[in-house]
Amino acid sequence: MDIEKVAKLARIELTDAEKERFSAELDAILAYVEELAAVDTEGVEPTTHVLPLALAMRADEVGEKLDRAEVLAAAPAHDGHAFIVPKVL
Amino acid sequence: MARADWEAVIGLEIHVQLATATKLFSAAPVSFGDEPNENIDPVTLGLPGALPVVNARAVELAVRLGLAMGCEIDRASRFARKHYFYPDLPKGYQISQFEEPICRGGVVVCDVDGVEKRFRLTRIHLEEDAGKNVHEGGRSLVDLNRAGTALCEVVGEPELRSPADAVAYMKELHQIVVALGVCDGNMEQGNFRCDANVSVRRRGETRLGTRTEIKNVNSFRFVGRALEYEIDRQIALVESGGAVVQETRGWDDEKGVTRSQRGKEDAQDYRYFPDPDLMELTLDEAFVERVRSELPELPRARRDRFVRDFGLTPYDADVLTQSAARAAYFEAVATATGDGKTAANWVINEVLGALNKAGLDVESSPVSAAALADLLGLLGKGTLSSKMAKDCFLAMYQDGVAPAAWVAKNGGQITDTGAIEAVVREVLDKNPEQVQELLSGKDKVLGFFVGQIMKATRGKANPQQVNEILAREVESRR
Amino acid sequence: MATTKADAGPKPGVVAALVDAQRRGEVTATALVERSIAAARATQTLNAWTHLAADKALARAADIDRRRSRGEKLGPLAGVPVGVKDQIVTRGIPTTAGSRILEGWVPPYDATVIRRLEAADAIVLGKLNQDELAMGSSSESSAVGPVRNPWDPARVPGGSSGGSAAAVAAGVCPVSLGTDTGGSIRQPASFCGLVGLKPTYGRVSRHGAVAFASSLDQIGPLGRTVADVAAVFEVIAGHDPQDATSLTAPVPAMDDLGEAVAGLRVGVPGEYFASGLDPFVRAAVDGAIALLGANGAEVVPVELPHTRYAVATYYLVATAEASSNLSRLDGVRYGHRTVSSVKDIGELYARSRAEGFGPEVKRRILLGTFALSHGYYDAYYKKAQQVRTLIRRDFEQAFERCDVIVGPTSPVTAFGLGERLGDPLQMYLMDIYTIPSSLAGNTSVSVPCGFDPEGMPIGLQIIGPPLGEGRILRVAGQLERLLPADERKPRVYAEGC
């Protein structure tokens, strides 16, 4: 596994020590899951859902909103109206 | 090398915001222009533990659009997660449809410079919109009001060959989604916007060139200009020995250029997978048939019908089918009077002409279709001359006067032969010299007499009868 | 022989006793909550709680007492203190899921299960410690430190719902809620001598459960008796329009828990008694199965041939979904954001997440991200979902031959703190018996069936087909009656509940 590429995709900064450690651990886990390759799954549908349910839908009716002040109170940075982040392009 | 040696290949992806009251996966309201972060709930915010539940109305509108475009409606489609990190995307993934969209295929039929063209669609799928990042100084402000709004993405095959094709295609689709009630069509608010993929190749070449994607263009004019610019840029680049880089570009309308937008990340890997929070979306036959039965007539079909049934020119029919309201207005007038051509002339020249000056459309016309039909009835019967009818219309438009009332007040056209004869003889009697001039061949004196007669009848004499009777009376004095 | 016991009713529940005592005026809800708060404090060496909502709980208790004194009709769990795993969202009560990344987050909404508990007049006592974001089998990966097992504080309580098990086992509250993705209710129940139910996937709303693996997660109850677990299950189960994967089937009344097992076909899968199974666990489980047989159940061998692939399948499916679900923990709208200076938004994400997630969570996010990434999706994620289909079919075929499947909940009893942290793969493999029924979406319950020579509890797992909660709880209830009475108490235990 290309640990740096995966960590970048996952947006997790890793130290060199972590890269080394996770690389080794994940390689061991991947070696273990390799056993699945031996299973004959020719023509077997993947299980996306275990339930035999049709999609439940809701009517287009407005429901309860959250209180902005309560929501922003939990935010790391805000200006009373919006969440603040470093400038994005 | 000339532009004519090159061919552009263009495919549009158009985002159509569905006209729903709530978001695609939650009951938070959809509303434009509110204070930031007013229309939020746990799903919109991507709070831990919040789960998506599909808006049935959005599904119905997607099916309606698909049916109108002649798509295959997939009886079983699926939602998938598309992952990327961006502050306006609260969950870190967008719920969209990937391998199994709700509509496949379909076609946009439109006229380009008077030629009918058919452009195929790849698919139409449902997805949620992102929020908005507003850049302010060294920071960005995140507003999630728009996040989660229901969209249909209409993906066209790369079959467009010119900016004119692209603009015609986009206009046609716009007209359709509005006519269907699927979208309010408001482009300024971004409710109908387009990403354009474009590449160039030398004529005769069958392979595709490297394409660029122009993102988020929200006006017909911008699409045309951006494509013109981008096609020229690519041709010049290749001709000078350069190569087109596959990238996302933005249109800067002030400068009239497209500009490279730094990639959101070096290598996009969206890691699509079926959303485990949402079951397969299954549609039964009865539902699809119900939606089909409720489809309104589309602008293009209506236009063809107007040409066929009312004898209109394609141009007039086009003007009259720009909106459902216009078409309904015209059709009411034409049906009531039984004369489509006259109705079309009057609706276009008088009604729309007057409204246009005020920046209005037919919905706000002070003259109802029924009133206009009454007026045209009087015109048809000869009660009013065209000139009088126009005066009457002005009174109707400005003061709300009914045609009958106007006639009662101003009198109708004089069509009684005896009465006109009496006036003609009186005028001829009073002007013997001019009669002699006329008889000696000076035809221009005829105009003098018509003027005198009309003056004497205060313009109400039927002009055709005046001409006939005048000629006869002059002859009789030879 | 214990045959005559089969005709007796189920073991009386603690919940029912507390509700009745209040009804008779012998105790008030306020007194119950005060006792639970005192018990939580007296047993705090267990580190079972992330947050004790003492003031809120007391206020609710006072309200219930007031309503009772006015003669109002109260709900079925009136005045019963309930502990809630921190994975479950509670409005106004900090919810961290045992993670630094949600440190200090006070949710603005309640999970559906919380609304249902409160509608039944239960009292949320506080939030229970757990493995970080429900990832683990020992409750050692919490940001606020490991939970200890009341039976032996040097050992783990199991995980990830370790706090939910420890608090009930220590007598702090009669019942608690946990979440189970691959065994996180059943295994701690087994390690702590409790009954723990993983409902059928879709039976209990997931709305408000911080998502780990969406296609596997279920909320369920832990308690000291089958009756207690059944009482809470009845309240929290049932269709929820806010969860599109919620089943519409009606929830049966749990009033036949005392019914005899005679004639019931009990399937025993050979694969669940393979190498790695502790001999004492095996002996206790065999004994319980024999007891069922002696009481008229028909014991039949069944096969679950794809069991050996279950752990690999699970770790691909669960981590892939987790990597997606945890993307929202990005430090933008709530939760932890790095205070170090960052050059751009990308660095803000990467560093906030690096600081906020512990090693086990990082490991799983990385694995899941990889399993979904371009070029690997088919070989890993899709392949795992195909094998999952084969595992489901194993159960479908087995349930043609039997009514329930029984076996050990865990191959071992509670192990020492820190003992198994060195090798993540070995830790994963301990979930071998609980994972398959999670992948299949079945329901299963762990029920105590004895102790090992060191006095650590052993659990028996009863697996039922989808919607089979009534059936497996009935078998569990009978077993509870049939097994010889054992009144021993955990070493850390708050008397008087």
Side-chain angles (χ1 to χ4, degrees):
Chain A
M1 182 191 297
D2 181 345
I3 192 80
E4 289 189 8
K5 189 178 152 198
V6 174
K8 192 166 182 203
L9 265 182
R11 293 292 191 284
I12 299 177
E13 198 172 74
L14 296 181
T15 62
D16 288 344
E18 280 179 316
K19 280 179 203 163
E20 204 169 307
R21 173 183 162 195
F22 287 138
S23 261
E25 286 169 350
L26 291 171
D27 282 345
I29 294 168
L30 286 178
Y32 173 73
V33 302
E34 268 309 314
E35 68 175 25
L36 294 187
V39 185
D40 180 5
T41 51
E42 185 72 37
V44 176
E45 271 295 304
T47 293
T48 302
H49 293 104
V50 291
L51 302 176
L53 279 183
L55 181 72
M57 295 192 250
R58 59 179 182 82
D60 185 25
E61 285 159 13
V62 174
E64 239 175 280
K65 296 199 287 186
L66 287 175
D67 176 56
R68 182 173 67 184
E70 188 180 354
V71 166
L72 291 177
H78 67 88
D79 69 352
H81 300 273
F83 304 98
I84 297 175
V85 293
K87 187 169 181 172
V88 291
L89 296 172
Chain B
M1 197 183 280
R3 170 94 174 254
D5 297 328
W6 290 85
E7 176 180 65
V9 177
I10 303 165
L12 300 187
E13 290 166 10
I14 293 179
H15 286 95
V16 177
Q17 179 174 317
L18 299 178
T20 56
T22 65
K23 297 185 176 179
L24 181 51
F25 298 111
S26 87
V30 171
S31 161
F32 184 85
D34 289 338
E35 288 255 299
N37 296 302
E38 282 291 342
N39 301 322
I40 52 171
D41 64 0
V43 175
T44 304
L45 273 174
L47 292 186
L51 295 172
V53 183
V54 175
N55 183 339
R57 176 77 180 158
V59 171
E60 177 169 349
L61 293 179
V63 171
R64 187 187 293 178
L65 178 57
L67 288 170
M69 303 314 295
C71 303
E72 286 279 329
I73 306 301
D74 229 309
R75 298 304 189 267
S77 67
R78 211 182 275 286
F79 290 100
R81 296 182 181 181
K82 175 183 183 179
H83 300 85
Y84 61 95
F85 285 84
Y86 211 56
D88 64 9
L89 187 71
K91 298 184 296 299
Y93 58 83
Q94 176 195 35
I95 307 178
S96 181
Q97 295 190 303
F98 183 50
E99 284 180 338
E100 299 167 75
I102 189 164
C103 311
R104 292 173 203 268
V107 66
V108 171
V109 182
C110 55
D111 291 338
V112 186
D113 302 327
V115 180
E116 184 179 280
K117 291 190 179 176
R118 301 171 66 81
F119 299 111
R120 286 176 302 164
L121 298 178
T122 312
R123 59 192 274 164
I124 299 175
H125 66 252
L126 278 163
E127 65 181 30
E128 57 178 339
D129 206 348
K132 194 170 71 173
N133 301 323
V134 179
H135 314 299
E136 185 195 276
R139 58 189 198 169
S140 294
L141 302 174
V142 184
D143 171 12
L144 298 174
N145 279 348
R146 193 172 199 123
T149 301
L151 303 177
C152 263
E153 181 172 336
V154 181
V155 183
E157 290 284 312
E159 293 184 341
L160 307 166
R161 290 291 176 268
S162 68
D165 281 359
V167 172
Y169 168 101
M170 194 170 165
K171 279 186 173 166
E172 184 69 27
L173 188 63
H174 182 264
Q175 207 175 46
I176 291 171
V177 297
V178 172
L180 288 171
V182 158
C183 172
D184 69 6
N186 190 322
M187 296 174 76
E188 271 169 31
Q189 291 177 5
N191 300 350
F192 184 92
R193 58 187 197 260
C194 144
D195 298 339
N197 288 289
V198 56
S199 64
V200 297
R201 63 185 173 194
R202 285 173 213 275
R203 283 200 190 279
E205 174 64 76
T206 50
R207 278 173 312 173
L208 290 172
T210 305
R211 68 189 159 87
T212 58
E213 183 176 24
I214 310 169
K215 278 272 188 202
N216 270 330
V217 195
N218 67 345
S219 95
F220 300 125
R221 197 172 61 86
F222 290 1
V223 165
R225 292 188 62 199
L227 285 170
E228 292 285 359
Y229 175 87
E230 183 60 17
I231 290 165
D232 287 343
R233 186 188 73 88
Q234 290 189 11
I235 292 171
L237 192 63
V238 178
E239 286 190 338
S240 65
V244 176
V245 180
Q246 184 165 344
E247 63 181 352
T248 298
R249 299 180 71 85
W251 171 244
D252 180 337
D253 194 59
E254 258 171 53
K255 303 233 162 57
V257 298
T258 65
R259 228 184 249 130
S260 177
Q261 292 181 331
R262 225 152 27 91
K264 280 180 190 168
E265 54 189 77
D266 319 28
Q268 289 285 19
D269 183 346
Y270 291 127
R271 286 161 287 137
Y272 282 102
F273 80 109
D275 193 326
D277 287 331
L278 295 164
M279 313 304 297
E280 194 173 57
L281 169 57
T282 53
L283 304 172
D284 62 39
E285 250 5 84
F287 169 79
V288 175
E289 285 319 306
R290 201 240 318 144
V291 177
R292 195 192 302 277
S293 72
E294 290 167 5
L295 279 182
E297 184 179 38
L298 287 179
R300 200 173 174 80
R302 190 179 281 145
R303 199 189 70 182
D304 293 347
R305 184 167 61 81
F306 283 4
V307 170
R308 193 176 63 237
D309 294 359
F310 294 111
L312 306 192
T313 63
Y315 178 83
D316 285 356
D318 200 45
V319 172
L320 292 171
T321 50
Q322 289 300 308
S323 74
R326 269 191 200 184
Y329 186 96
F330 159 75
E331 204 164 354
V333 178
T335 308
T337 61
D339 179 353
K341 279 184 163 172
T342 306
N345 287 337
W346 276 78
V347 171
I348 292 170
N349 298 325
E350 306 307 321
V351 181
L352 294 179
L355 288 166
N356 208 14
K357 277 182 210 148
L360 301 171
D361 206 332
V362 79
E363 291 89 340
S364 17
S365 172
V367 177
S368 70
L372 182 63
D374 285 349
L375 173 66
L376 298 187
L378 294 172
L379 178 67
K381 278 193 299 195
T383 310
L384 296 177
S385 66
S386 319
K387 166 84 175 58
M388 293 163 82
K390 281 179 187 170
D391 292 344
C392 176
F393 177 79
L394 210 61
M396 291 163 72
Y397 189 88
Q398 285 169 354
D399 307 318
V401 176
W406 190 87
V407 172
K409 187 179 165 209
N410 299 288
Q413 186 171 231
I414 301 168
T415 52
D416 179 67
T417 308
I420 296 171
E421 277 172 359
V423 177
V424 170
R425 285 178 193 142
E426 192 187 326
V427 170
L428 293 177
D429 291 348
K430 275 189 193 162
N431 299 289
E433 285 157 38
Q434 283 84 350
V435 172
Q436 285 314 309
E437 283 178 32
L438 191 60
L439 285 172
S440 67
K442 282 193 175 173
D443 281 354
K444 68 176 179 190
V445 186
L446 202 58
F448 163 78
F449 280 114
V450 171
Q452 291 297 312
I453 294 160
M454 291 314 268
K455 195 175 165 191
T457 58
R458 285 186 297 149
K460 288 179 193 157
N462 180 311
Q464 206 178 333
Q465 284 173 291
V466 169
N467 286 337
E468 284 167 17
I469 293 165
L470 180 60
R472 204 167 63 224
E473 285 298 322
V474 171
E475 258 334 288
S476 72
R477 295 180 188 218
R478 188 177 289 277
Chain C
M1 269 318 269
T3 43
T4 52
K5 276 191 172 181
D7 300 325
K11 191 170 166 183
V14 183
V15 166
L18 295 180
V19 170
D20 286 345
Q22 290 176 77
R23 202 177 285 143
R24 288 193 303 267
E26 293 164 11
V27 70
T28 61
T30 301
L32 290 177
V33 169
E34 281 170 346
R35 199 217 69 88
S36 281
I37 292 166
R41 289 180 178 144
T43 58
Q44 63 187 357
T45 54
L46 297 175
N47 198 26
W49 300 84
T50 52
H51 185 90
L52 206 56
D55 293 346
K56 277 181 189 287
L58 284 168
R60 272 194 63 82
D63 179 55
I64 286 165
D65 289 335
R66 200 162 35 240
R67 282 160 56 206
R68 187 185 298 285
S69 71
R70 284 202 299 255
E72 282 181 35
K73 188 175 168 3
L74 295 171
L77 299 180
V80 176
V82 179
V84 175
K85 187 179 184 181
D86 206 23
Q87 192 81 7
I88 297 168
V89 170
T90 43
R91 179 169 192 174
I93 302 177
T95 297
T96 68
S99 181
R100 190 182 170 203
I101 203 144
L102 282 173
E103 199 172 35
W105 184 50
V106 181
Y109 81 105
D110 268 324
T112 297
V113 289
I114 299 299
R115 289 210 304 267
R116 290 193 177 170
L117 280 181
E118 295 193 337
D121 291 320
I123 297 170
V124 173
L125 194 59
K127 304 303 285 294
L128 291 159
N129 201 0
Q130 55 167 97
D131 275 304
E132 183 182 5
L133 293 159
M135 295 180 176
S137 310
S138 63
S139 299
E140 293 172 283
S141 70
S142 166
V144 294
V147 184
R148 291 167 183 273
N149 192 320
W151 293 91
D152 177 359
R155 299 184 195 232
V156 303
S160 64
S161 310
S164 301
V168 175
V172 177
C173 47
V175 284
S176 64
L177 293 185
T179 66
D180 190 314
T181 304
S184 282
I185 288 173
R186 291 162 285 166
Q187 187 249 25
S190 158
F191 279 17
C192 292
L194 300 176
V195 180
L197 172 70
K198 184 203 91 77
T200 307
Y201 181 78
R203 194 59 127 152
V204 177
S205 171
R206 294 185 295 116
H207 173 70
V210 177
F212 163 13
S214 312
S215 75
L216 296 157
D217 296 342
Q218 267 294 287
I219 294 171
L222 295 90
R224 266 173 278 167
T225 69
V226 173
D228 290 329
V229 162
V232 176
F233 173 70
E234 274 190 84
V235 164
I236 62 171
H239 182 66
D240 177 12
Q242 288 187 287
D243 174 0
T245 59
S246 169
L247 290 163
T248 51
V251 180
M254 298 287 160
D255 51 10
D256 59 353
L257 297 177
E259 216 168 274
V261 294
L264 201 81
R265 295 170 304 164
V266 174
V268 179
E271 294 83 358
Y272 282 36
F273 294 84
S275 65
L277 177 60
D278 179 294
F280 297 108
V281 173
R282 178 174 191 140
V285 171
D286 282 345
I289 294 170
L291 201 55
L292 290 171
N295 282 275
E298 186 193 342
V299 178
V300 295
V302 293
E303 286 181 352
L304 297 170
H306 292 91
T307 300
R308 57 177 292 212
Y309 301 111
V311 172
T313 300
Y314 174 82
Y315 275 92
L316 289 172
V317 172
T319 58
E321 292 181 9
S323 73
S324 171
N325 286 327
L326 301 182
S327 299
R328 67 186 64 193
L329 302 175
D330 60 5
V332 171
R333 299 165 309 287
Y334 48 81
H336 176 76
R337 180 187 289 193
T338 185
V339 293
S340 67
S341 75
V342 291
K343 69 174 195 301
D344 58 17
I345 184 74
E347 207 167 86
L348 181 141
Y349 288 141
R351 193 160 311 146
S352 300
R353 287 162 64 81
E355 293 168 358
F357 294 133
E360 181 58 28
V361 174
K362 286 180 188 171
R363 194 180 290 124
R364 296 201 197 190
I365 290 176
L366 293 170
L367 178 60
T369 302
F370 176 71
L372 290 177
S373 66
H374 186 71
Y376 297 99
Y377 179 87
D378 284 356
Y380 290 102
Y381 184 73
K382 191 174 168 200
K383 180 79 181 185
Q385 291 287 48
Q386 287 175 309
V387 178
R388 186 177 182 182
T389 303
L390 299 176
I391 291 167
R392 284 170 59 205
R393 283 186 197 157
D394 281 358
F395 279 102
E396 281 164 17
Q397 281 158 15
F399 281 121
E400 285 169 12
R401 305 191 50 216
C402 64
D403 301 306
V404 296
I405 292 169
V406 298
T409 303
S410 166
V412 295
T413 54
F415 46 88
L417 279 163
E419 206 176 273
R420 303 197 179 211
L421 285 176
D423 188 343
L425 185 55
Q426 287 312 309
M427 187 80 110
Y428 296 171
L429 286 169
M430 292 208 319
D431 297 332
I432 178 70
Y433 302 140
T434 47
I435 279 174
S437 73
S438 291
L439 288 169
N442 293 328
T443 179
S444 25
V445 62
S446 181
V447 59
C449 70
F451 292 87
D452 72 6
E454 291 171 355
M456 297 310 291
I458 296 168
L460 173 91
Q461 182 178 214
I462 306 164
I463 304 170
L467 302 181
E469 288 88 357
R471 193 189 293 173
I472 61 170
L473 287 175
R474 212 174 82 210
V475 177
Q478 275 307 305
L479 201 61
E480 203 172 48
R481 272 276 155 191
L482 294 169
L483 285 164
D486 190 325
E487 297 304 325
R488 57 184 122 167
K489 291 269 189 279
R491 253 190 266 171
V492 179
Y493 186 76
E495 290 293 342
C497 181

